[in-house]
Amino acid sequence: MATTPPAVPRPREGGGSGGRTRDPYFDNAKYLTIVLVACGHAWEPLTYGSRAATAIYLLVYAFHMPAFALISGYFSRSFDMAPGRVKRLLTGVVVPYVVFEVAYTLFYRWAQDDPGYPISLLDPWYVMWFLAALFIWRITTPLWLALRHPVPVALAVAALASISPEAGGDLGLQRVLAFLPFFVVGLTLRPDHFTRLRTRRTRLIALPVAAFALCTAYAVAPWMDAEWFYHRKSVAALDGVPSWAGLLTTPALFGLALVLTACFLAWVPGRRTWFTALGSGTLYGYLLHGFIIKSSRFWDWYDHPWLHTPLGELAVTAAAVLMITVLCTGPVRRVLRTLLEPRMDWAFRRTGS
């Protein structure tokens, strides 16, 4: 999530430095990333009977949330705890987290006929972990920017968390720490890094790399456990895996995700496209699509055998793309803006920041 996310509220060109012109490249990247998130969630029931679907699923899960975290970090570079930025963090991340954590719990109570299911702001439900992670990452941004070598330090933190059986639980801490290095990488990037990434030579190199990754995913699909990419629990909690393995697998998966993210970002178009404007609504798509995905599980939408045929899998993919596209559109954002982007001037002191 699964989180740009997902979902980076109102990014501006130059990392939020005050410019008013949005860079279409990053809006395109955000939209395409949220499409991968939605497709990944929609494909999960198809992986139980299709090796091809499993291979694509594993490939996407190897990098789509790392890419989201990296883009989130890039647009958090200027976060310095100034009053204005703290206000935007609270209204654009904390308030949506509280509202949708409660909404998802009420939805679960109704859908599962479980009125006693507890509301807990410390145990993010489904996709909500990413907003909790984004809040923690962003408030620690000044710390990471003060370090001489922030990426190795963040990677060491993630590796140590992977071998600790106590790292999960409250606020999805296991995922927060596992994806932290990608956020920190984003903090260290500059516009020229993306410029070099989008050269013709880099794009051509990305093609065989992606093809090799897909072939590898197909080869390992029968036995590879996608739990390695979820990071919902520590390596120590995985069956049959020694706890020390996390010290090796964490940097390995980090390197894999960075390579695949680079391949993905190399092919993101830099010009304005029909979906560029949708990039500013990815927070809406991320938070809303979970209701539809969970509905498909609660009411067994995948029980139809046709959906598990090649044509059915393509239909599921098309439906997922259509769903997330609609949820990112302007009308949806206008209706829900008071929940996801509330002004709340009444709650804050007036400052010059």
Side-chain angles (χ1 to χ4, degrees), residues 69-158:
L70 184 147
I71 295 173
S72 299
Y74 180 75
F75 284 106
S76 299
R77 293 172 298 148
S78 62
F79 187 82
D80 56 4
M81 298 298 287
R85 293 191 173 96
V86 170
K87 175 185 175 182
R88 287 192 292 273
L89 176 63
L90 294 177
T91 58
V93 177
V94 175
V95 171
Y97 173 79
V98 173
V99 169
F100 276 81
E101 182 65 30
V102 173
Y104 270 114
T105 302
L106 296 179
F107 172 69
Y108 181 89
R109 288 180 176 182
W110 170 72
Q112 297 294 91
D113 192 21
D114 185 4
Y117 191 80
I119 295 176
S120 174
L121 298 181
L122 297 180
D123 186 14
W125 198 76
Y126 197 36
V127 298
M128 297 308 301
W129 72 268
F130 189 84
L131 286 190
L134 186 58
F135 174 77
I136 295 172
W137 295 338
R138 193 163 287 174
I139 61 173
T140 60
T141 291
L143 167 65
W144 298 111
L145 292 179
L147 295 177
R148 187 182 299 272
H149 303 293
V151 176
V153 174
L155 187 58
V157 170

Side-chain angles (χ1 to χ4, degrees), residues 54-311:
T54 302
I56 297 174
Y57 178 82
L58 291 174
L59 179 65
V60 167
Y61 263 81
F63 78 92
H64 75 320
M65 289 312 297
F68 242 16
L70 184 147
I71 295 173
S72 299
Y74 180 75
F75 284 106
S76 299
R77 293 172 298 148
S78 62
F79 187 82
D80 56 4
M81 298 298 287
R85 293 191 173 96
V86 170
K87 175 185 175 182
R88 287 192 292 273
L89 176 63
L90 294 177
T91 58
V93 177
V94 175
V95 171
Y97 173 79
V98 173
V99 169
F100 276 81
E101 182 65 30
V102 173
Y104 270 114
T105 302
L106 296 179
F107 172 69
Y108 181 89
R109 288 180 176 182
W110 170 72
Q112 297 294 91
D113 192 21
D114 185 4
Y117 191 80
I119 295 176
S120 174
L121 298 181
L122 297 180
D123 186 14
W125 198 76
Y126 197 36
V127 298
M128 297 308 301
W129 72 268
F130 189 84
L131 286 190
L134 186 58
F135 174 77
I136 295 172
W137 295 338
R138 193 163 287 174
I139 61 173
T140 60
T141 291
L143 167 65
W144 298 111
L145 292 179
L147 295 177
R148 187 182 299 272
H149 303 293
V151 176
V153 174
L155 187 58
V157 170
L160 290 175
S162 74
I163 64 175
S164 171
E166 305 298 329
D170 290 351
L171 294 177
L173 187 58
Q174 185 63 54
R175 281 172 161 172
V176 173
L177 298 179
F179 290 103
L180 171 65
F182 303 101
F183 179 83
V184 175
V185 168
L187 291 176
T188 67
L189 295 179
R190 296 295 179 265
D192 60 291
H193 290 120
F194 293 94
T195 300
R196 293 199 297 268
L197 190 63
R198 292 153 58 192
T199 62
R200 183 174 183 273
R201 179 173 179 270
T202 304
R203 288 177 174 175
L204 291 178
I205 293 175
L207 291 178
V209 172
F212 176 77
L214 180 59
C215 292
T216 303
Y218 187 82
V220 304
W223 54 266
M224 179 69 180
D225 188 352
E227 193 68 45
W228 285 99
F229 301 123
Y230 299 156
H231 298 293
R232 290 183 297 199
K233 51 189 177 181
S234 67
V235 171
L238 297 176
D239 292 337
V241 180
S243 59
W244 56 261
L247 297 177
L248 302 177
T249 60
T250 299
L253 293 176
F254 173 75
L256 172 64
L258 279 188
V259 170
L260 294 178
T261 297
C263 293
F264 167 73
L265 292 176
W267 278 95
V268 170
R271 65 186 184 282
R272 292 196 64 84
T273 67
W274 65 267
F275 55 79
T276 299
L278 300 175
S280 61
T282 52
L283 178 63
Y284 293 77
Y286 181 78
L287 293 178
L288 293 171
H289 88 285
F291 291 103
I292 301 174
I293 294 297
K294 280 300 182 182
S295 294
S296 73
R297 311 301 200 261
F298 292 157
W299 291 296
D300 302 321
W301 295 358
Y302 287 85
D303 281 357
H304 301 282
W306 180 79
L307 292 178
H308 298 269
T309 66
L311 284 179

